[in-house]
Amino acid sequence: MRIKLMLLLGVTFVMFASYTNVAEISQSQVNFYKGSYDDFLREAKKLKKPIMLDFWASWCGPCKKLENETFTNPNLVTYLNANYMIYKVDIDSFDGMSIADRFAVDVYPTLVLLDPKTKYVGRYRGFFPADYLRNELEKNKNQKGKRFVAPKSSTTASL
């Protein structure tokens, strides 16, 4: 009987310890959506959460700095995971280029914000410290979006 009780306590302890580690890990990194862009949009609409699109490239120094410094800040990570659906857009892929064109993104990194209905709210270009970014996101969290209209190019091609 004593062995069964010790075994039960041991299993309970291991399960509790594992649960705690999973919770800590999930709050130490931003939960970027894994999957297609279309699936991401459907999921965000279903959850009725604001959207952040993170446009980045592997060769982009400020993108790496944003990833390593800003997106690892525990306060920002907790805030983002609780309040936003986030999708990383690799602009070196064909899908990423198409999404970047859709939102006229030409500076990296760029964070594009959409409301839960996928309407355009705004954008942030370049690197931002975690505290500044969190304050800005809190200001825009409940803002209603509008249909995005790409700016017209000021230059015309000549042949």
Side-chain angles (χ1 to χ4, degrees):
M1 179 70 162
R2 182 176 245 173
I3 293 174
K4 288 182 182 180
L5 181 61
M6 293 300 283
L7 184 61
L8 179 61
L9 286 173
V11 169
T12 303
F13 178 74
V14 169
M15 287 176 44
F16 178 72
S18 298
Y19 176 77
T20 303
N21 286 339
V22 170
E24 288 172 7
I25 290 169
S26 68
Q27 293 304 315
S28 68
Q29 58 190 4
V30 174
N31 293 330
F32 294 103
Y33 184 84
K34 308 280 191 258
S36 74
Y37 180 68
D38 291 333
D39 289 344
F40 167 76
L41 293 178
R42 278 191 286 279
E43 185 71 15
K45 281 182 181 179
K46 184 171 78 173
L47 295 175
K48 297 180 181 172
K49 278 185 149 182
I51 295 168
M52 177 190 291
L53 302 176
D54 174 18
F55 291 88
W56 69 283
S58 61
W59 46 262
C60 169
C63 298
K64 291 177 186 175
K65 187 173 181 174
L66 187 71
E67 179 74 24
N68 294 329
E69 294 179 24
T70 303
F71 287 148
T72 58
N73 178 285
N75 292 331
L76 181 65
V77 167
T78 301
Y79 177 78
L80 288 175
N81 289 342
N83 295 292
Y84 282 87
M85 290 283 298
I86 308 162
Y87 188 77
K88 288 185 81 64
V89 181
D90 180 0
I91 59 99
D92 287 329
S93 70
F94 287 116
D95 289 338
M97 286 186 279
S98 173
I99 300 165
D101 286 345
R102 185 176 307 152
F103 291 102
V105 174
D106 58 359
V107 174
Y108 308 102
T110 292
L111 303 175
V112 171
L113 302 180
L114 307 174
D115 71 10
K117 295 180 180 182
T118 69
K119 303 271 189 202
Y120 180 80
V121 172
R123 69 180 62 215
Y124 298 96
R125 294 179 176 151
F127 170 80
F128 293 98
D131 292 336
Y132 176 83
L133 183 58
R134 179 178 173 161
N135 290 337
E136 289 296 310
L137 293 173
E138 284 177 346
K139 288 181 203 174
N140 291 309
K141 186 176 132 192
N142 295 317
Q143 192 172 8
K144 298 285 184 207
K146 57 186 179 248
R147 194 172 138 261
F148 180 75
V149 179
K152 294 185 179 183
S153 176
S154 60
T155 60
T156 55
S158 58
L159 297 176

